[in-house]
């Protein structure tokens, strides 16, 4: 079910964040507009399968990373 997948994804992100912190690595949050009100990926950012986002998501994420790292235009 979708909500179980979302909970598992959230758990994985928590574990990744803890590991990143332990190794002094910055882990950025997702840009807020990629998720809907329930926390799922917005349909406009879907890729061609159920586990990967598409090109629009990638473009938005790269822009988000540049802005967070202070290199954005």
């Amino acid at each position: 079910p979708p909500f179980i997948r979302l909970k598992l994804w959230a758990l994985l992100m928590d574990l990744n964040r803890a590991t990143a912190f332990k190794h002094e690595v910055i882990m950025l949050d997702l840009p807020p507009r990629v998720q809907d009100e329930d926390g799922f990926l917005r349909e406009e950012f879907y890729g061609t399968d159920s586990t990967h986002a598409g090109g629009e998501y990638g473009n938005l994420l790269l822009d988000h990373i540049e802005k967070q790292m202070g290199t954005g235009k």
Side-chain angles (χ1 to χ4, degrees):
F3 279 99
I4 291 176
R5 285 180 44 205
L6 181 61
K7 289 285 189 184
L8 289 173
W9 174 82
L11 176 62
L12 180 59
M13 292 302 102
D14 288 345
L15 292 171
N16 287 341
R17 188 168 276 102
T19 300
F21 180 79
K22 177 181 175 185
H23 295 284
E24 300 180 3
V25 173
I26 297 169
M27 186 168 160
L28 301 176
D29 291 327
L30 292 176
R33 73 177 262 227
V34 301
Q35 293 174 292
D36 66 17
E37 58 278 353
D38 293 319
F40 293 100
L41 185 66
R42 289 188 187 280
E43 196 168 331
E44 65 202 76
F45 298 113
Y46 284 8
T48 57
D49 61 40
S50 63
T51 58
H52 296 93
E56 279 301 311
Y57 173 85
N59 291 334
L60 184 67
L61 194 57
L62 286 173
D63 185 52
H64 179 67
I65 291 168
E66 286 177 346
K67 286 178 182 170
Q68 294 296 311
M69 300 306 288
T71 59
K73 296 154 185 86

